Amino acid sequence: HVLPLFDLIVATPDEGRRVGAVSAAAEPVRIFSILSGAILVYVAGIAAALPDDAPYEPLAPEQMAAFKRDLLVAARPLLFSPDPA
């Protein structure tokens, strides 16, 4: 179940590098680790740390839209940063 997803994650930066859209320094495994960790913490980790009556609905449409924006902001430097000197 995970291998096709991992193959896609690795292939996406490779294809981006091939067409010049992604930095040669982009590391697919590191990007996957950082972004999947953020998603896991957002959906499960924060809710587990809050009191049961806390007003936190991570899957509410407005919360998901805000998280998607934040995740894209986090992903861009990982994909498009200049190659290290």
Side-chain angles (χ1 to χ4, degrees):
H1 292 57
V2 175
L3 288 178
L5 175 61
F6 188 76
D7 289 343
L8 178 63
I9 290 164
V10 170
T12 300
D14 287 346
E15 176 63 14
R17 279 193 288 271
R18 188 183 71 72
V19 299
V22 172
S23 166
E27 293 285 338
V29 173
R30 184 170 45 105
I31 295 166
F32 174 75
S33 175
I34 291 168
L35 298 180
S36 62
I39 293 166
L40 181 62
V41 168
Y42 174 77
V43 173
I46 295 173
L50 294 174
D52 290 338
D53 60 348
Y56 179 69
E57 295 293 332
L59 302 180
E62 67 278 358
Q63 292 296 323
M64 286 296 294
F67 181 67
K68 181 179 177 180
R69 284 191 305 272
D70 294 343
L71 204 55
L72 289 171
V73 166
R76 283 187 182 106
L78 296 171
L79 290 167
F80 306 115
S81 62
D83 296 342

